[in-house]
Amino acid sequence: RQRVAHPARKYAGLDVGCNAGDLTYILRDFLKEAMSQDQPEISLIGVDLDPILIEKARERNPSPDCVTFECLDFLSEDCSEVLRRYLTQLNKTRFDVVFCFSITMWIHLNHGDDGLEEFLRKVCELAEMIVVEPQPWRCYKNASRRLRRAKLGDFPLLKELKYTRNPMKHIEDILRRLCDFQRVTVTAGNEWGRMLLIYERKQES
Ligand SMILES: C[S@@+](CC[C@H](N)C(=O)[O-])C[C@H]1O[C@@H](n2cnc3c(N)ncnc32)[C@H](O)[C@@H]1O
């Protein structure tokens, strides 16, 4: 598909909920390989709210010149500010791609249906294209069970959720209805039954 995705031969990616960076490094190598003909300058930023994980990601970073990590809550205003500045430095207004691997459930459980909508709106505002790997409903149940078994109560918002049973369907609906993004493809389930939703911004006519 032809897109004006990397003017000035710069390609920028964001990895939301990057954990200790292991997947971020792999994504960087994947992008480099996938765009080896074009050879754009690839820059990736990973954000996670856990300072220990970010410290680890920074320590082991094999490409500190083009991959950076920031400890931020993606839903915070601070995060928006840091990402705006990051894009400005690259002379860009949006990321070419935003990755959200295995994070939607945590946003949903901790911030409810409204939080999930806000999260996806924010991701889409920042992106030309998004890759989302939603956790299925059984993972929500397992997460809740683990918390209860550890005598830590339950996720207070779990009972109030309306987007239940099939999170992927609800996420696709939010992406189309609220974010005005369109489906590129949905991959077949991997060995854990997870699928990747790949969506993109509609081209302005
Ligand atoms: C299950 S891990 C996924 C890690 C990695 N993306 C992967 O797929 O291997 C989810 C990560 O999201 C992070 N996270 C959860 N809520 C977040 C938020 N509001 N802002 C930034 N990171 C968040 C957690 O700290 C955790 O490291």
Side-chain angles (χ1 to χ4, degrees), residues 46-174:
V47 299
D48 200 289
L49 42 74
D50 187 325
I52 295 169
L53 294 173
I54 289 296
E55 190 62 43
K56 219 167 149 188
R58 284 177 176 155
E59 275 167 19
R60 300 174 311 146
N61 189 352
S63 324
D65 48 329
C66 55
V67 183
T68 51
F69 294 97
E70 294 291 342
C71 180
L72 292 161
D73 177 348
F74 182 72
L75 294 173
S76 68
E77 191 40 49
D78 272 4
C79 184
S80 307
E81 186 52 39
V82 168
L83 296 177
R84 262 196 297 274
R85 262 188 273 129
Y86 183 84
L87 286 168
T88 305
Q89 273 176 10
L90 293 171
N91 245 327
K92 280 180 163 286
T93 50
R94 293 192 193 103
F95 289 93
D96 296 292
V97 64
V98 176
F99 299 104
C100 309
F101 284 95
S102 299
I103 181 171
T104 51
M105 176 184 79
W106 298 112
I107 298 291
H108 201 183
L109 283 172
N110 290 321
H111 301 277
D113 290 334
D114 291 348
L116 180 66
E117 288 184 359
E118 186 194 338
F119 174 82
L120 292 169
R121 270 188 214 263
K122 199 166 168 183
V123 165
C124 289
E125 263 169 35
L126 284 165
E128 294 295 339
M129 180 172 284
I130 60 169
V131 180
V132 184
E133 185 203 32
Q135 289 104 326
W137 186 245
R138 67 181 148 75
C139 292
Y140 287 59
K141 294 195 148 176
N142 291 341
S144 157
R145 198 175 309 121
R146 278 198 304 272
L147 215 56
R148 283 180 281 118
R149 276 202 188 137
K151 306 251 180 299
L152 293 169
D154 202 347
F155 294 95
L157 294 174
L158 180 61
K159 283 200 173 68
E160 289 172 33
L161 299 185
K162 293 203 172 66
Y163 296 146
T164 55
R165 288 170 193 279
N166 188 350
M168 195 174 113
K169 178 179 115 338
H170 296 299
I171 287 171
E172 288 207 81
D173 180 55
I174 297 168

